[in-house]
Amino acid sequence: MPKVTYVGDDGTPHTVDAQAGDSVMSAAVRNGVPGILAECGGNCSCATCHVYVRPEFAELTGIPGEMEDDLLDMGVGDRRPTSRLACQIPVTEELDGLTVDVPADKP
């Protein structure tokens, strides 16, 4: 079972067991990870699951699709090169150990 670590803006890590096929967002919500609001329920329409993928995992998580890219441009105050919406990152066995940073500010 892949593990995903969410690091809060205060530096506190929250490591959860995720299931392959879940999204990084759904694993966070199911485990009560602070800072992942997921107001749209994973429909790629709110940007409240914005995370920064750690550089060592950026290639494995891929790049944002067109809709996600638009939401990141419009809805994120501090967009970075590794900004992603957690609802758009599928968990795979290859992502075991994935670490993402959860920014404090949400739209």
Side-chain angles (χ1 to χ4, degrees), residues 15-69:
T15 301
V16 304
D17 289 325
Q19 294 184 2
D22 281 350
S23 68
V24 170
M25 181 218 71
S26 62
V29 170
R30 186 174 51 255
N31 288 282
V33 173
I36 303 291
L37 305 178
E39 289 178 355
C40 74
N43 291 310
C44 195
S45 63
C46 73
T48 61
C49 66
H50 173 231
V51 296
Y52 303 118
V53 175
R54 293 276 173 102
E56 60 269 25
F57 288 98
E59 190 172 316
L60 292 173
T61 58
I63 61 171
E66 186 177 331
M67 196 164 147
E68 179 183 1
D69 194 47

Side-chain angles (χ1 to χ4, degrees), residues 81-100:
T82 61
S83 285
R84 292 294 309 272
L85 299 181
C87 67
Q88 299 302 297
I89 304 171
V91 174
T92 63
E93 294 294 334
E94 187 177 41
L95 288 179
D96 184 34
L98 172 67
T99 301
V100 298

